[in-house]
Amino acid sequence: GACRVSMSMTEIRAGFTAIKANIQSRDPIRTLSILSHPHSLHKVKSSDRCCITHLLFTFYVDKVFKHCRTEDSFVNRKISSIANSFLSVRRKLGQCREQNNCVCGEESTEKFKQILANYEGLNVTSAAMKSLGELDILLDWMEKSR
Amino acid sequence: EDALLPAPQNISILSINMKHFLTWSPVIVQGATVRYSVEFQGEYEREYANGSWIPILECSLTTATVCNITEDISATVAYKLRVRAELGATRSRWGKMKGFFNRVTTSLTPPLLRVLADGHHLLVELADMGPVFQFRLLYWKKGQESRVQQKVMREVSSVVHLDTMEAGAEYCVKAQTHIEAINRSSSFSPTQCVRAQGDTSMWL
Amino acid sequence: SGELYCSLPNPRNVRFESINMRNVLHWSAPEGTGDGVLYKVKYTVYGVGKWIRKPECRNINRTWCDLSNETSDYEEQYYASVKAFLNGTCSDWMETTRFNPLTDTKIDPPMVSVSSTDKSISIILTAPEKWKRSPEEESISLLQVYPGIRYNLSVLNKKTKKRWFFSISNNSLVVPWLEPGTAYCVSAQIHVTTPLLDSGFSKEHCITTLKDK
């Protein structure tokens, strides 16, 4: 069956928009993307969408947010808001996987490996900040494929 | 921390319609102005960020005994809150709110609704309650309670057109709010009825 | 190229201005430089390794450059950069912030067409089209780019001065049971919930219902 997760994209999107310019200005590397190259999320098959979403939410929760602490209190509060929203959504996606509605195909596993390779290709703080700055790539893809 | 300055007590949250306020009892020191600072910790901070706490700037060194934490409680997870008193360089221990707060427990009140008839048109006015609110409106022709119609509205701005009415008929409307983020709805507002213009006589 | 030392002040406020995904790079001339400044432009797809020069914007003296063609894939994000030249010296390359055509464009209001009978008005709305290279190219409505589009409609009774709002998802609406021989003015706005994008309201289109038969 399909994996329908109600989530407040509006709040996550608003939180990111509020800090997008600040976060992206901390990422000087133009020539590398964590999420969109060489594989674009937009090429993911619909059957793999739930799995990739769950893998990516786990990626952000486990690896990204904790390394994005800044000297700016406003930015930190928005990151906390996004991180806690991701945690809440990741839990629901996990329930889908338990009910076997969120199967991981070979392609999505391969694509996620590439994302991890991109991430590990940088030092952890740069990789985390770049990943956070690319949140709109994830949100755009999720909204488009809703 | 200094034992001379007691930690704030009776720390609790007042949460209505997704607006969340932290309140506490004042720390009284004769002839002095005590200030307070507030911090929050979401489930993410507890489980993935070494239990770190995040200060709320607007409630740092405030003399008030209330803090609007709505902007920071913006995920449906369990949050912890703490407050400490400060007097010059002296700081109290952190006073911690008992247990957790999850916004899913916010209390929801029915929306403020005004129903109008303008000729054959059924119109409503709803008080705006913020971007996370949707409004679910149920309306029916009096006497045909079994044929209730529904409309869901997101943002509302002044007078919104609901439907057109049969001449002379009376229509009733009630509304409730729904919040997708916590998947909960308020109770319904009292029903209001209005009559469409025109007579109900039938051409035979 | 042969630029050794660039002491010219930098172009300022380098940014994309985008309407319906017509993406134009704009900037202000370097401070204190009069006429005669020329510019070069380059752009890059974020995450791809190379900067690409824009030939049509090489040695130009205007302070804008249309990069719609180069940034038309709205599943990508972009940076652009400008360099100034004057009397043999030059400025640094000055970059935009990261440009996401999907969220950073502005949307025009919908086109509104109104017709009337004696007691009703019919309204048809047309969402603007995404920018396209040439008139021959296939049109893409912004409806296809933003699936969650809704329309907010305002209908003003000029006699009673009462204004009603409608929120609809399809592009047409009939408002029946109106007063004959009365002027009604309609304006409409596009509303996208996520990403949050609102057009302005269109200008008002007024029409008078026919006199009672």
Side-chain angles (χ1 to χ4, degrees):
Chain A
C3 167
R4 289 200 66 77
V5 172
S6 86
M7 69 175 92
S8 182
M9 291 290 276
T10 314
E11 286 180 310
I12 295 175
R13 178 71 79 169
F16 178 72
T17 303
I19 58 173
K20 167 179 162 174
N22 182 300
I23 296 295
Q24 289 182 348
S25 68
R26 295 166 191 262
D27 172 14
I29 305 168
R30 309 290 184 249
T31 54
L32 180 115
S33 163
I34 305 288
L35 296 185
S36 55
H37 288 279
H39 301 307
S40 165
L41 285 174
H42 295 279
K43 305 287 189 291
V44 167
K45 286 186 305 197
S46 59
S47 56
D48 281 5
R49 211 175 288 141
C50 175
C51 165
I52 282 274
T53 304
H54 186 243
L55 289 174
L56 285 173
F57 269 65
T58 301
F59 164 71
Y60 272 90
V61 165
D62 289 348
K63 284 182 175 293
V64 173
F65 295 125
K66 67 180 76 173
H67 297 298
C68 292
R69 195 96 180 184
T70 75
E71 73 300 333
D72 185 318
S73 162
F74 173 80
V75 171
N76 292 343
R77 288 159 73 181
K78 290 301 175 188
I79 293 172
S80 166
S81 160
I82 296 168
N84 280 287
S85 293
F86 265 57
L87 190 59
S88 167
V89 170
R90 201 267 304 257
R91 182 172 300 135
K92 294 177 191 168
L93 287 169
Q95 287 152 14
C96 275
R97 283 195 79 168
E98 281 153 25
Q99 294 144 20
N100 218 3
N101 297 336
C102 190
V103 176
C104 285
E106 194 187 325
E107 189 185 329
S108 47
T109 311
E110 201 44 47
K111 207 175 281 291
F112 184 64
K113 271 188 198 152
Q114 178 63 59
I115 287 171
L116 285 184
N118 291 345
Y119 186 85
E120 260 110 41
L122 296 172
N123 74 72
V124 67
T125 306
S126 304
M129 208 49 91
K130 179 176 269 295
S131 302
L132 181 56
E134 293 186 9
L135 210 61
D136 54 349
I137 293 174
L138 173 58
L139 299 176
D140 292 350
W141 170 66
M142 287 173 68
E143 276 152 17
K144 192 187 109 177
S145 43
R146 244 189 333 185
Chain B
E1 291 163 9
D2 193 313
L4 290 177
L5 198 57
Q9 301 293 315
N10 306 319
I11 300 167
S12 64
I13 286 184
L14 179 64
S15 174
I16 301 174
N17 291 329
M18 294 292 267
K19 298 278 190 296
H20 322 300
F21 296 87
L22 188 72
T23 65
W24 57 91
S25 302
V27 171
I28 308 296
V29 175
Q30 287 308 326
T33 304
V34 175
R35 294 177 181 279
Y36 307 92
S37 291
V38 176
E39 294 186 348
F40 71 93
Q41 180 193 75
E43 189 177 337
Y44 180 84
E45 283 72 32
R46 276 195 303 286
E47 290 185 15
Y48 293 88
N50 312 312
S52 56
W53 291 82
I54 299 176
I56 299 180
L57 222 55
E58 294 81 4
C59 303
S60 289
L61 298 175
T62 177
T63 54
T65 57
V66 59
C67 173
N68 185 344
I69 59 174
T70 305
E71 280 293 308
D72 293 293
I73 308 295
S74 52
T76 309
V77 295
Y79 283 86
K80 278 189 168 184
L81 278 300
R82 68 183 187 179
V83 191
R84 80 174 158 201
E86 303 189 27
L87 183 57
T90 311
R91 288 176 173 176
S92 75
R93 281 175 300 102
W94 286 103
K96 289 186 179 167
M97 183 188 77
K98 289 190 180 62
F100 299 93
F101 171 69
N102 188 319
R103 65 178 184 172
V104 78
T105 63
T106 191
S107 56
L108 297 176
T109 61
L112 293 177
L113 168 71
R114 194 159 78 100
V115 181
L116 312 132
D118 187 347
H120 292 268
H121 296 271
L122 181 58
L123 307 159
V124 292
E125 268 190 296
L126 286 153
D128 189 9
M129 297 177 76
V132 296
F133 282 81
Q134 288 176 20
F135 297 93
R136 183 161 162 258
L137 290 118
L138 302 184
Y139 60 97
W140 61 94
K141 187 175 158 189
K142 207 158 192 181
Q144 294 187 6
E145 278 66 18
S146 62
R147 291 177 58 200
V148 175
Q149 297 191 64
Q150 168 181 296
K151 222 170 222 182
V152 174
M153 294 181 186
R154 287 187 172 278
E155 290 90 6
V156 285
S157 47
S158 62
V159 179
V160 178
H161 189 280
L162 196 52
D163 213 329
T164 49
M165 303 184 280
E166 291 166 24
E170 194 171 7
Y171 283 73
C172 300
V173 184
K174 63 180 181 180
Q176 69 177 161
T177 63
H178 177 72
I179 299 135
E180 214 174 11
I182 59 173
N183 199 20
R184 278 186 52 213
S185 299
S186 74
S187 55
F188 276 98
S189 64
T191 298
Q192 294 176 48
C193 302
V194 291
R195 184 178 296 280
Q197 166 194 314
D199 57 39
T200 54
S201 53
M202 297 288 292
W203 289 100
L204 298 176
Chain C
S1 62
E3 301 122 28
L4 295 176
Y5 176 65
C6 291
S7 61
L8 195 63
N10 296 325
R12 294 166 295 159
N13 195 16
V14 182
R15 78 265 178 209
F16 275 98
E17 290 188 6
S18 172
I19 298 175
N20 302 337
M21 292 192 182
R22 180 173 182 231
N23 310 322
V24 180
L25 184 67
H26 285 263
W27 60 90
S28 307
E31 193 132 22
T33 52
D35 295 334
V37 183
L38 298 179
Y39 304 96
K40 275 185 196 177
V41 168
K42 63 181 181 181
Y43 66 93
T44 185
V45 177
Y46 172 66
V48 173
K50 58 187 185 313
W51 285 87
I52 303 165
R53 298 292 172 100
K54 169 79 171 174
E56 298 85 344
C57 296
R58 188 170 180 279
N59 296 333
I60 56 172
N61 60 10
R62 63 177 189 268
T63 58
W64 59 269
C65 171
D66 192 329
L67 291 174
S68 303
N69 196 29
E70 292 75 13
T71 56
S72 62
D73 181 353
Y74 54 83
E75 289 177 355
E76 297 286 1
Q77 300 190 11
Y78 306 88
Y79 284 92
S81 193
V82 183
K83 192 184 189 77
F85 296 85
L86 181 62
N87 304 333
T89 183
C90 59
S91 74
D92 296 330
W93 283 103
M94 292 306 290
E95 273 181 21
T96 62
T97 56
R98 194 178 306 170
F99 175 65
N100 179 348
L102 194 68
T103 57
D104 299 343
T105 197
K106 291 189 174 55
I107 297 183
D108 275 337
M111 267 192 354
V112 178
S113 72
V114 190
S115 58
S116 74
T117 66
D118 59 342
K119 285 195 170 174
S120 74
I121 56 175
S122 302
I123 304 160
I124 293 176
L125 305 171
T126 309
E129 286 175 6
K130 178 180 183 288
W131 170 87
K132 57 185 182 182
R133 288 178 182 79
S134 64
E136 296 73 39
E137 195 183 1
E138 188 209 345
S139 295
I140 299 174
S141 166
L142 287 182
L143 285 177
Q144 297 162 255
V145 177
Y146 302 101
I149 273 187
R150 292 184 66 86
Y151 300 98
N152 291 333
L153 258 161
S154 149
V155 176
L156 171 69
N157 178 325
K158 292 283 273 184
K159 191 190 292 179
T160 64
K161 297 289 186 282
K162 287 181 183 169
R163 185 184 299 273
W164 305 339
F165 283 91
F166 297 76
S167 170
I168 58 174
S169 51
N170 52 10
N171 69 331
S172 62
L173 176 72
V174 175
V175 185
W177 291 106
L178 296 177
E179 294 171 47
T182 304
Y184 289 88
C185 294
V186 177
S187 78
Q189 169 196 42
I190 283 180
H191 174 69
V192 180
T193 40
T194 57
L196 190 57
L197 285 174
D198 281 347
S199 73
F201 268 92
S202 66
K203 68 179 181 59
E204 284 197 330
H205 290 255
C206 300
I207 193 163
T208 302
T209 49
L210 307 179
K211 290 260 191 292
D212 221 345
K213 292 185 185 105

